[in-house]
Amino acid sequence: MKKKILTVVKCCLIIFSFIATAFNTVTSIVDSIRYHNLVINWLSLMSIAPLTFALYQEIDFIYVWCNKIMSFFKNKTVNFKVSFYLQNNSDNFVNVINNNLNKVIKDCHLSFDNGSPQRFSNDMYTKFYFVTNNNLKFSVAISNDNLPSSEIETNNFSIIMDFQISYRDTSACWELCKKFREKFTSKLVNENERIDLNINLSNSNQNPFYRLTVKYVSANKIDDFRLAFSEKESLKVTLNKHSIYATSVDIQDLDRVVKEYIPLSSVN
């Protein structure tokens, strides 16, 4: 609580200083123009720079907003991976999966990429390759991990959607994943609602920011880090160097992660 109050006081002082400095600078310029004596107080003008940087460092909204703009224009490559799970006791579950896969292809306007298998069999693992009507290519891996329970054999399947996209396409890609999952599970009795999200930025040498980030002191270099935390009871988030992993049983939790995560150029 004390730290929060101190942060608020610090931000208020910085904002007040910024407004006062900006006002004095503008007033000086206006007076110079009015009296035909254009002499700019460069010292006053340059003092705005450290105040602006202090606002960037201390106020979350400004920090997030500035980095979102920079990430939008940099538009680096992102590996975007979504996993969801199916658990069912049906005897003909493989047939159900194939029927639902055909429905997804039709409803999501997908087609098989060249060389892709077109049916899931009783094999433990099948990887499909799809192309959207916007020519976005991605893979879907379906894995059959049957685990015996105490009484009956339970069908446990994992479905992993894997994309290589640009930062600007993240939201559209996430909407496709949600629609794919919705159509795929619409007529299934599913006992596992868990969804995993993994965003990897190693190809662009960036690090993810979501709620928390790492700051180093002096010139010490951070080779790796791991931050794990929970939001609400359902959402668990892990931040590593170059990647963010989030898991929840509520898809709205992951909506927020996709919307608010930011790739940073380096660990601050």
Side-chain angles (χ1 to χ4, degrees), residues 186-203:
S186 60
K187 295 183 179 179
L188 292 176
V189 177
N190 184 22
E191 299 174 9
N192 190 345
E193 296 294 328
R194 174 183 151 199
I195 315 166
D196 297 343
L197 170 67
N198 195 307
I199 301 173
N200 191 294
L201 309 169
S202 57
N203 288 339

Side-chain angles (χ1 to χ4, degrees), residues 221-235:
K221 181 182 178 182
I222 297 176
D223 294 320
D224 200 3
F225 65 90
R226 183 177 183 274
L227 297 175
F229 61 95
S230 298
E231 267 195 325
K232 306 179 3 182
E233 292 184 2
S234 53
L235 177 62

Side-chain angles (χ1 to χ4, degrees), residues 88 204 227:
N88 189 285
S204 57
L227 297 175

Side-chain angles (χ1 to χ4, degrees), residues 41 47 52 67 148 189:
N41 187 340
S47 65
T52 303
N67 278 286
V189 177

Side-chain angles (χ1 to χ4, degrees), residues 21-77:
T21 303
F23 177 80
N24 288 336
T25 302
V26 172
T27 301
S28 175
I29 294 173
V30 170
D31 288 344
S32 298
I33 294 173
R34 180 185 299 172
Y35 297 112
H36 307 288
N37 183 23
L38 186 57
V39 178
I40 299 176
N41 187 340
W42 290 105
L43 183 63
S44 178
L45 191 61
M46 286 189 295
S47 65
I48 294 178
L51 290 171
T52 303
F53 183 74
L55 287 173
Y56 168 80
Q57 290 285 74
E58 296 294 337
I59 298 180
D60 293 342
F61 170 77
I62 296 177
Y63 180 83
V64 170
W65 183 73
C66 288
N67 278 286
K68 269 190 173 294
I69 291 176
M70 287 190 288
S71 297
F72 180 83
F73 285 106
K74 288 179 179 178
N75 201 30
K76 294 292 186 71
T77 302

Side-chain angles (χ1 to χ4, degrees), residues 102-110 179 183:
N102 290 332
K103 176 177 173 56
V104 169
I105 292 170
K106 180 180 178 181
D107 292 347
C108 294
H109 308 290
L110 304 176
K179 185 176 181 180
K183 300 296 182 182

Side-chain angles (χ1 to χ4, degrees), residues 80-82 84 138-140 159-163 176-177 180:
F80 191 86
K81 190 178 294 184
V82 173
F84 61 95
F138 66 99
S139 66
V140 176
I159 295 87
I160 303 175
M161 306 178 66
D162 196 345
F163 300 79
L176 173 60
C177 290
F180 188 102

